[in-house]
Amino acid sequence: MSVQENITESTISVRELEGLGPLPLVIEPQTPIDWRRCFSDIRAVIDAQLESVGGVLLRGFNVEQESDFQDFAKAFGHELLSYDYASTPRSKVEGKVYTSTEYPAHQVIPLHNEQAYTLNWPMRIWFCSLEVAEEGGETPIADSRQIYNLIEPDVRNRFEQRKLMYVRNYGNGLDLPWQKAFSTDSKADVERFCQQNEIEFEWKGDGELRTRQVCQATARHPRTGESVWFNQAHLFHVSNLQAHVRETLISIVGEDNLPRNVYYGDGSAIDEKDLDHVRRVMDDCEVRFLWQKGDIMMLDNMLVAHARGTFKGDRKVVVAMAEPNR
């Protein structure tokens, strides 16, 4: 029986995006209607399907403002989360709704699960397209279960058994200042956060901060029991930089002071060939579609990774998160 056949006398319809398969599952109104008037039907589909397909796309509900998007995300009953221990620049736009990562339009943001470089991440994440780029600007997604299964077993075993150590050096014009990353100007608050979250910290001679944290490479979903590829090694590792940028940075600051890097949990180097393999698998699993104005995409953050394509023209995608894993 299809998903649609399970919905009786519904105000909504459910379908797959043409040519893409079940991810993301599309929810649309049968006739133009505010999402609040059919939220019980929307919620029923999401409760039944999200942890199966991993992500849904709500299209045609005419969401036009950040406040409306925030109301939708909050309607699921969980307090929205702040972006603590951030790794990329963002701005708060409404309550706990933020801009998506504010990198230049020509840069690609590879697939990743939100805050998979930590021990504490959101289980749910929402995106809303308020302004559609003239060209490009997609938010590609991929099934983290599929990625896990396609990683070569010997590579996967090395990552799982040895775990990952993320090393970050804040500020100095090279990365987020620690005040922005931790949303505070207080060193005491930073130290308290680090102690509570198993993050090793060090105040360097110039007053800047270095942190180290050992985290998972894979994870098991707490409700479905499925294994997922769940880390950001391919993003944090210095090999993610263009060769000339990498060489210049290392020549100026040295490897120890790179804005970010990642090692195995014991501090030993990760073979770049393994990371190249991971990147190829992720690329092979990518699902890409064009945004429409007012679209909302809701993901189970452990089951589905997301990315950002290059774009031309103005683009505005905002983000909200909820339900910490611990």
Side-chain angles (χ1 to χ4, degrees):
M1 181 178 290
S2 70
V3 174
Q4 181 60 49
E5 287 170 337
N6 284 320
I7 304 172
T8 59
E9 298 180 2
S10 178
T11 55
I12 62 175
S13 61
V14 181
R15 64 179 176 87
E16 296 180 357
L17 271 177
E18 185 175 353
L20 292 185
L23 179 68
L25 195 66
V26 182
I27 302 174
E28 297 171 306
Q30 297 276 21
T31 57
I33 189 173
D34 185 280
W35 64 264
R36 293 170 182 83
R37 296 183 59 194
C38 56
F39 183 72
S40 60
D41 288 333
I42 293 171
R43 178 71 183 268
V45 174
I46 289 174
D47 285 350
Q49 298 296 324
L50 186 66
E51 290 177 359
S52 174
V53 298
V56 298
L57 178 66
L58 292 103
R59 174 162 284 177
F61 292 96
N62 299 320
V63 177
E64 297 183 352
Q65 298 180 353
E66 293 91 341
S67 58
D68 198 17
F69 167 61
Q70 179 172 247
D71 288 347
F72 178 83
K74 290 172 67 175
F76 288 86
H78 293 279
E79 181 181 355
L80 300 186
L81 301 176
S82 300
Y83 262 104
D84 295 323
Y85 196 37
S87 67
T88 58
R90 301 174 184 268
S91 301
K92 186 183 293 188
V93 293
E94 172 79 26
K96 292 184 179 179
V97 172
Y98 296 80
T99 60
S100 55
T101 296
E102 297 170 353
Y103 281 171
H106 69 276
Q107 292 186 7
V108 171
I109 301 174
L111 286 163
H112 62 283
N113 304 82
E114 198 63 39
Q115 297 188 318
Y117 58 88
T118 72
L119 298 173
N120 188 13
W121 55 83
M123 291 296 296
R124 290 185 170 184
I125 185 167
W126 294 263
F127 302 83
C128 182
S129 173
L130 295 176
E131 189 168 359
V132 179
E134 175 186 332
E135 182 180 318
E138 302 96 331
T139 300
I141 55 179
D143 190 318
S144 300
R145 297 162 292 191
Q146 182 183 22
I147 295 168
Y148 177 92
N149 290 329
L150 292 177
I151 297 289
E152 291 179 0
D154 59 336
V155 174
R156 189 172 64 224
N157 290 341
R158 277 196 291 276
F159 274 70
E160 285 182 324
Q161 292 169 10
R162 302 176 73 175
K163 298 187 177 181
L164 297 166
M165 178 191 291
Y166 296 94
V167 180
R168 299 179 63 181
N169 289 282
Y170 304 80
N172 284 324
L174 298 176
D175 206 351
L176 289 179
W178 60 263
Q179 295 91 336
K180 184 75 171 178
F182 290 88
S183 301
T184 181
D185 292 324
S186 167
K187 288 186 176 182
D189 287 347
V190 171
E191 294 176 4
R192 189 177 305 109
F193 181 91
C194 290
Q195 291 163 352
Q196 292 171 348
N197 289 276
E198 302 176 48
I199 301 170
E200 180 185 332
F201 64 90
E202 172 190 353
W203 296 105
K204 300 188 290 184
D206 59 1
E208 294 293 359
L209 175 67
R210 175 184 292 137
T211 60
R212 297 180 181 88
Q213 187 179 32
V214 176
C215 298
Q216 70 292 318
T218 65
R220 188 175 295 275
H221 195 283
R223 290 188 288 271
T224 72
E226 295 166 295
S227 294
V228 295
W229 189 255
F230 200 77
N231 65 77
Q232 292 193 18
H234 63 296
L235 277 177
F236 273 69
H237 195 267
V238 66
S239 63
N240 190 47
L241 297 174
Q242 294 179 350
H244 71 281
V245 175
R246 172 181 179 173
E247 292 170 5
T248 300
L249 267 178
I250 292 177
S251 69
I252 294 173
V253 303
E255 184 173 329
D256 289 345
N257 290 304
L258 288 170
R260 62 186 70 185
N261 206 352
V262 63
Y263 305 86
Y264 282 123
D266 60 3
S268 59
I270 301 172
D271 191 328
E272 292 185 20
K273 292 180 181 178
D274 287 351
L275 291 166
D276 289 340
H277 168 65
V278 170
R279 294 182 183 110
R280 286 194 298 270
V281 169
M282 293 184 122
D283 288 345
D284 289 344
C285 294
E286 185 179 88
V287 174
R288 183 180 290 260
F289 63 92
L290 288 172
W291 283 114
Q292 293 183 13
K293 184 176 174 61
D295 281 354
I296 294 177
M297 180 166 64
M298 180 177 179
L299 304 179
D300 182 302
N301 182 46
M302 289 191 72
L303 298 181
V304 176
H306 61 275
R308 192 203 72 182
T310 61
F311 62 95
K312 294 181 180 178
D314 293 332
R315 174 188 188 269
K316 188 173 186 180
V317 174
V318 294
V319 184
M321 310 178 301
E323 196 179 344
N325 70 300
R326 52 185 271 182

